[in-house]
Amino acid sequence: MGLLDCFRSDAFFLERLSSADPGIQSGAMNVLVRRQNSHIAERLRLLLTDSRSQVRANAAGTLGLCGGEQDVPTLGRLLVDDDWFVRAMAASGLGYLASTDVGLGTDAGRRALLLLSPCLADESDAVRSAARIAMDSVREFAGESNLQN
């Protein structure tokens, strides 16, 4: 993705979400997130079931950047994916989603923490680390005391 991206249509980038090349998918996701395209979250949810782990991982991480409260359980389901990279990206996405100003309240933060806590015992160091960072972000954003009530 390059300098002329601002002249390409949303349809151009939405089409590239289904590319066989994960790099093209990732670039398209980044452009669409920056544009705050209303179709991106819907398309990302479809990509979460792709047979390719790189596609699921890219979709999970990006959904965390542009999704909504309904995506907390969606990302939570990916925390048990067979691929460690998908689990790590889902944890990161969930942490970002629940620790930003996207309109999620402390309920979403509590749910995110409950979903993330089993990841602290994951077999993968990367997943454990992503979960720990995500949980710290959620706690910091919402205030530890607000999440414990």
Side-chain angles (χ1 to χ4, degrees), residues 13-126:
F13 292 104
L14 285 168
E15 181 181 316
R16 273 135 188 86
L17 291 178
S18 299
S19 169
D21 183 337
I24 290 174
Q25 285 183 358
S26 181
M29 289 177 196
N30 288 331
V31 170
L32 288 167
V33 166
R34 283 196 313 267
R35 290 184 177 184
Q36 299 180 344
N37 183 296
S38 61
H39 305 289
I40 183 72
E42 180 181 322
R43 291 292 300 269
L44 290 169
R45 289 181 199 108
L46 295 174
L47 291 174
L48 294 174
T49 59
D50 194 280
S51 62
R52 298 165 289 176
S53 61
Q54 181 70 41
V55 173
R56 293 192 311 276
N58 281 339
T62 307
L63 188 59
L65 298 173
C66 67
E69 188 164 0
Q70 73 275 16
D71 296 309
V72 171
T74 302
L75 290 172
R77 286 190 290 277
L78 289 176
L79 295 173
V80 294
D81 192 275
D82 290 338
D83 188 275
W84 69 268
F85 189 52
V86 175
R87 295 192 307 273
M89 292 299 288
S92 295
L94 189 55
Y96 187 82
L97 184 65
S99 65
T100 57
D101 295 328
V102 293
L104 304 186
T106 54
D107 269 358
R110 283 188 195 98
R111 285 187 311 216
L113 289 174
L114 286 172
L115 291 167
L116 287 163
S117 59
C119 295
L120 296 175
D122 194 276
E123 63 190 33
S124 165
D125 290 339

Side-chain angles (χ1 to χ4, degrees), residues 8 18 25 63 75 80 98 101 121 127 135-136 140 144 146:
R8 301 206 189 261
S18 299
Q25 285 183 358
L63 188 59
L75 290 172
V80 294
D101 295 328
V127 175
M135 292 174 78
D136 289 347
E140 182 180 329
E144 185 88 34
N146 289 336

